[in-house]
Short mmCIF file of all heavy atoms in Angstrom, two decimals:
data_model
loop_
_atom_site.label_atom_id
_atom_site.label_comp_id
_atom_site.label_asym_id
_atom_site.label_seq_id
_atom_site.Cartn_x
_atom_site.Cartn_y
_atom_site.Cartn_z
N ILE A 275 -6.02 -8.09 31.58
CA ILE A 275 -4.65 -7.61 31.36
C ILE A 275 -4.43 -6.28 32.07
O ILE A 275 -5.21 -5.36 31.92
CB ILE A 275 -4.37 -7.45 29.86
CG1 ILE A 275 -4.53 -8.80 29.14
CG2 ILE A 275 -2.96 -6.92 29.63
CD1 ILE A 275 -4.37 -8.70 27.64
N LYS A 276 -3.35 -6.21 32.82
CA LYS A 276 -3.00 -4.96 33.50
C LYS A 276 -1.53 -4.57 33.24
O LYS A 276 -1.19 -3.40 33.28
CB LYS A 276 -3.23 -5.11 35.01
CG LYS A 276 -4.68 -5.37 35.39
CD LYS A 276 -5.58 -4.18 35.09
CE LYS A 276 -6.97 -4.36 35.70
NZ LYS A 276 -7.73 -5.47 35.13
N ASN A 277 -0.67 -5.58 32.99
CA ASN A 277 0.78 -5.35 32.85
C ASN A 277 1.15 -5.07 31.39
O ASN A 277 1.92 -5.79 30.77
CB ASN A 277 1.55 -6.56 33.37
CG ASN A 277 1.14 -7.85 32.69
OD1 ASN A 277 0.02 -7.99 32.21
ND2 ASN A 277 2.04 -8.82 32.64
N PHE A 278 0.65 -4.00 30.83
CA PHE A 278 0.80 -3.72 29.40
C PHE A 278 2.25 -3.56 28.97
O PHE A 278 2.63 -4.00 27.88
CB PHE A 278 0.01 -2.46 29.03
CG PHE A 278 -1.46 -2.57 29.33
CD1 PHE A 278 -2.01 -1.95 30.45
CD2 PHE A 278 -2.30 -3.31 28.52
CE1 PHE A 278 -3.35 -2.06 30.74
CE2 PHE A 278 -3.65 -3.42 28.79
CZ PHE A 278 -4.18 -2.80 29.91
N ASP A 279 3.09 -2.96 29.80
CA ASP A 279 4.48 -2.73 29.41
C ASP A 279 5.28 -4.03 29.30
O ASP A 279 6.34 -4.05 28.67
CB ASP A 279 5.17 -1.79 30.41
CG ASP A 279 4.70 -0.36 30.25
OD1 ASP A 279 4.50 0.07 29.10
OD2 ASP A 279 4.54 0.34 31.27
N GLU A 280 4.80 -5.09 29.92
CA GLU A 280 5.53 -6.35 29.90
C GLU A 280 5.16 -7.22 28.70
O GLU A 280 5.74 -8.29 28.51
CB GLU A 280 5.25 -7.12 31.19
CG GLU A 280 5.70 -6.39 32.45
CD GLU A 280 5.30 -7.12 33.72
OE1 GLU A 280 4.95 -8.32 33.61
OE2 GLU A 280 5.34 -6.51 34.80
N LEU A 281 4.25 -6.76 27.88
CA LEU A 281 3.76 -7.57 26.76
C LEU A 281 4.26 -7.05 25.41
O LEU A 281 4.27 -5.84 25.18
CB LEU A 281 2.22 -7.57 26.75
CG LEU A 281 1.53 -8.11 28.00
CD1 LEU A 281 0.02 -7.91 27.87
CD2 LEU A 281 1.85 -9.58 28.20
N PRO A 282 4.66 -7.95 24.51
CA PRO A 282 4.98 -7.55 23.14
C PRO A 282 3.67 -7.37 22.36
O PRO A 282 3.09 -8.34 21.88
CB PRO A 282 5.82 -8.72 22.60
CG PRO A 282 5.42 -9.90 23.42
CD PRO A 282 4.96 -9.37 24.76
N ILE A 283 3.20 -6.15 22.28
CA ILE A 283 1.88 -5.85 21.73
C ILE A 283 1.99 -5.35 20.30
O ILE A 283 2.81 -4.48 19.99
CB ILE A 283 1.15 -4.81 22.60
CG1 ILE A 283 0.99 -5.33 24.04
CG2 ILE A 283 -0.20 -4.45 22.01
CD1 ILE A 283 0.43 -4.30 25.00
N ILE A 284 1.15 -5.88 19.43
CA ILE A 284 1.12 -5.50 18.02
C ILE A 284 -0.30 -5.08 17.63
O ILE A 284 -1.26 -5.81 17.88
CB ILE A 284 1.55 -6.67 17.11
CG1 ILE A 284 2.94 -7.17 17.49
CG2 ILE A 284 1.51 -6.25 15.63
CD1 ILE A 284 4.05 -6.18 17.29
N SER A 285 -0.44 -3.91 17.01
CA SER A 285 -1.73 -3.48 16.47
C SER A 285 -1.91 -4.08 15.08
O SER A 285 -1.02 -3.97 14.24
CB SER A 285 -1.81 -1.96 16.37
OG SER A 285 -1.99 -1.37 17.63
N VAL A 286 -3.05 -4.71 14.86
CA VAL A 286 -3.38 -5.26 13.54
C VAL A 286 -4.57 -4.47 13.01
O VAL A 286 -5.65 -4.51 13.59
CB VAL A 286 -3.71 -6.76 13.62
CG1 VAL A 286 -4.01 -7.32 12.22
CG2 VAL A 286 -2.55 -7.54 14.25
N ILE A 287 -4.37 -3.74 11.93
CA ILE A 287 -5.40 -2.82 11.46
C ILE A 287 -5.62 -2.94 9.95
O ILE A 287 -4.83 -3.57 9.24
CB ILE A 287 -5.02 -1.36 11.80
CG1 ILE A 287 -3.74 -0.95 11.06
CG2 ILE A 287 -4.86 -1.18 13.29
CD1 ILE A 287 -3.41 0.52 11.17
N GLY A 288 -6.69 -2.31 9.48
CA GLY A 288 -6.98 -2.32 8.05
C GLY A 288 -8.36 -1.74 7.77
O GLY A 288 -9.03 -1.23 8.67
N THR A 289 -8.77 -1.85 6.53
CA THR A 289 -10.01 -1.24 6.07
C THR A 289 -11.25 -1.95 6.60
O THR A 289 -11.23 -3.15 6.85
CB THR A 289 -10.06 -1.21 4.54
OG1 THR A 289 -11.26 -0.60 4.10
CG2 THR A 289 -9.96 -2.62 3.96
N ARG A 290 -12.31 -1.18 6.74
CA ARG A 290 -13.61 -1.77 7.10
C ARG A 290 -14.18 -2.58 5.94
O ARG A 290 -14.82 -3.61 6.14
CB ARG A 290 -14.61 -0.66 7.45
CG ARG A 290 -14.29 0.14 8.71
CD ARG A 290 -15.20 1.34 8.83
NE ARG A 290 -14.91 2.17 9.98
CZ ARG A 290 -15.57 2.11 11.13
NH1 ARG A 290 -16.56 1.26 11.27
NH2 ARG A 290 -15.23 2.89 12.14
N LYS A 291 -13.94 -2.10 4.71
CA LYS A 291 -14.48 -2.75 3.52
C LYS A 291 -13.46 -3.74 2.96
O LYS A 291 -12.96 -3.60 1.85
CB LYS A 291 -14.86 -1.70 2.47
CG LYS A 291 -15.92 -0.72 2.96
CD LYS A 291 -16.22 0.33 1.92
CE LYS A 291 -17.27 1.32 2.42
NZ LYS A 291 -17.56 2.38 1.42
N ALA A 292 -13.15 -4.73 3.76
CA ALA A 292 -12.10 -5.68 3.40
C ALA A 292 -12.57 -6.73 2.41
O ALA A 292 -13.75 -7.11 2.38
CB ALA A 292 -11.57 -6.36 4.66
N SER A 293 -11.64 -7.21 1.61
CA SER A 293 -11.92 -8.31 0.69
C SER A 293 -11.85 -9.62 1.45
O SER A 293 -11.44 -9.67 2.61
CB SER A 293 -10.88 -8.31 -0.43
OG SER A 293 -9.59 -8.60 0.10
N THR A 294 -12.22 -10.69 0.79
CA THR A 294 -12.11 -12.02 1.41
C THR A 294 -10.66 -12.31 1.77
O THR A 294 -10.36 -12.86 2.83
CB THR A 294 -12.63 -13.10 0.44
OG1 THR A 294 -13.99 -12.81 0.11
CG2 THR A 294 -12.55 -14.48 1.06
N TYR A 295 -9.76 -11.92 0.87
CA TYR A 295 -8.33 -12.09 1.13
C TYR A 295 -7.90 -11.30 2.37
O TYR A 295 -7.17 -11.80 3.23
CB TYR A 295 -7.54 -11.61 -0.10
CG TYR A 295 -6.07 -11.34 0.17
CD1 TYR A 295 -5.15 -12.37 0.26
CD2 TYR A 295 -5.61 -10.02 0.32
CE1 TYR A 295 -3.81 -12.12 0.49
CE2 TYR A 295 -4.27 -9.76 0.56
CZ TYR A 295 -3.37 -10.80 0.64
OH TYR A 295 -2.05 -10.54 0.89
N GLY A 296 -8.36 -10.04 2.47
CA GLY A 296 -7.99 -9.21 3.60
C GLY A 296 -8.48 -9.77 4.92
O GLY A 296 -7.75 -9.78 5.92
N LEU A 297 -9.72 -10.24 4.95
CA LEU A 297 -10.27 -10.82 6.18
C LEU A 297 -9.48 -12.06 6.59
O LEU A 297 -9.18 -12.27 7.77
CB LEU A 297 -11.74 -11.17 5.97
CG LEU A 297 -12.68 -9.99 5.70
CD1 LEU A 297 -14.08 -10.49 5.37
CD2 LEU A 297 -12.73 -9.04 6.90
N LYS A 298 -9.16 -12.88 5.60
CA LYS A 298 -8.39 -14.10 5.87
C LYS A 298 -7.02 -13.76 6.44
O LYS A 298 -6.58 -14.35 7.44
CB LYS A 298 -8.23 -14.91 4.58
CG LYS A 298 -7.30 -16.10 4.72
CD LYS A 298 -7.05 -16.74 3.35
CE LYS A 298 -5.98 -17.82 3.44
NZ LYS A 298 -5.68 -18.40 2.12
N MET A 299 -6.34 -12.78 5.84
CA MET A 299 -5.00 -12.41 6.30
C MET A 299 -5.04 -11.72 7.66
O MET A 299 -4.12 -11.86 8.47
CB MET A 299 -4.32 -11.53 5.27
CG MET A 299 -3.95 -12.24 3.98
SD MET A 299 -2.86 -13.66 4.24
CE MET A 299 -1.39 -12.87 4.87
N GLY A 300 -6.12 -10.98 7.92
CA GLY A 300 -6.27 -10.35 9.23
C GLY A 300 -6.33 -11.39 10.33
O GLY A 300 -5.65 -11.27 11.37
N ARG A 301 -7.14 -12.43 10.11
CA ARG A 301 -7.23 -13.52 11.08
C ARG A 301 -5.90 -14.24 11.21
O ARG A 301 -5.44 -14.56 12.31
CB ARG A 301 -8.32 -14.52 10.66
CG ARG A 301 -9.74 -14.02 10.82
CD ARG A 301 -10.73 -15.16 10.67
NE ARG A 301 -10.62 -15.83 9.37
CZ ARG A 301 -11.28 -15.46 8.28
NH1 ARG A 301 -12.09 -14.43 8.32
NH2 ARG A 301 -11.12 -16.12 7.14
N LYS A 302 -5.29 -14.55 10.06
CA LYS A 302 -4.04 -15.33 10.04
C LYS A 302 -2.90 -14.60 10.75
O LYS A 302 -2.22 -15.19 11.60
CB LYS A 302 -3.66 -15.61 8.58
CG LYS A 302 -2.33 -16.34 8.38
CD LYS A 302 -2.07 -16.56 6.91
CE LYS A 302 -0.74 -17.28 6.67
NZ LYS A 302 0.43 -16.47 7.01
N ILE A 303 -2.69 -13.34 10.40
CA ILE A 303 -1.60 -12.59 11.00
C ILE A 303 -1.77 -12.48 12.51
O ILE A 303 -0.84 -12.71 13.29
CB ILE A 303 -1.51 -11.18 10.38
CG1 ILE A 303 -1.07 -11.24 8.92
CG2 ILE A 303 -0.59 -10.28 11.20
CD1 ILE A 303 0.36 -11.60 8.70
N ALA A 304 -2.98 -12.13 12.96
CA ALA A 304 -3.24 -11.98 14.39
C ALA A 304 -3.06 -13.30 15.12
O ALA A 304 -2.49 -13.36 16.22
CB ALA A 304 -4.65 -11.44 14.62
N SER A 305 -3.54 -14.37 14.52
CA SER A 305 -3.41 -15.69 15.12
C SER A 305 -1.94 -16.07 15.29
O SER A 305 -1.52 -16.55 16.35
CB SER A 305 -4.12 -16.74 14.25
OG SER A 305 -3.92 -18.04 14.75
N GLU A 306 -1.14 -15.82 14.27
CA GLU A 306 0.27 -16.18 14.32
C GLU A 306 1.06 -15.29 15.28
O GLU A 306 2.00 -15.76 15.93
CB GLU A 306 0.87 -16.10 12.91
CG GLU A 306 0.33 -17.19 12.00
CD GLU A 306 0.69 -16.98 10.53
OE1 GLU A 306 1.12 -15.86 10.17
OE2 GLU A 306 0.52 -17.93 9.75
#
């Protein structure tokens, strides 16, 4: 990737000590 300004970019962030729910939602949100 080089054309960063042309992309709709979203940061997906959260805690290192995530719960099972948090890990699942992290994958789900990023995937969607």
Side-chain angles (χ1 to χ4, degrees):
I275 300 175
K276 298 293 190 295
N277 55 333
F278 301 102
D279 286 322
E280 298 175 16
L281 301 174
I283 301 173
I284 303 295
S285 286
V286 182
I287 64 172
T289 180
R290 294 171 182 261
K291 300 178 181 178
S293 66
T294 301
Y295 163 78
L297 296 174
K298 172 188 173 183
M299 291 302 295
R301 288 192 301 271
K302 176 180 180 292
I303 292 288
S305 175
E306 291 169 346

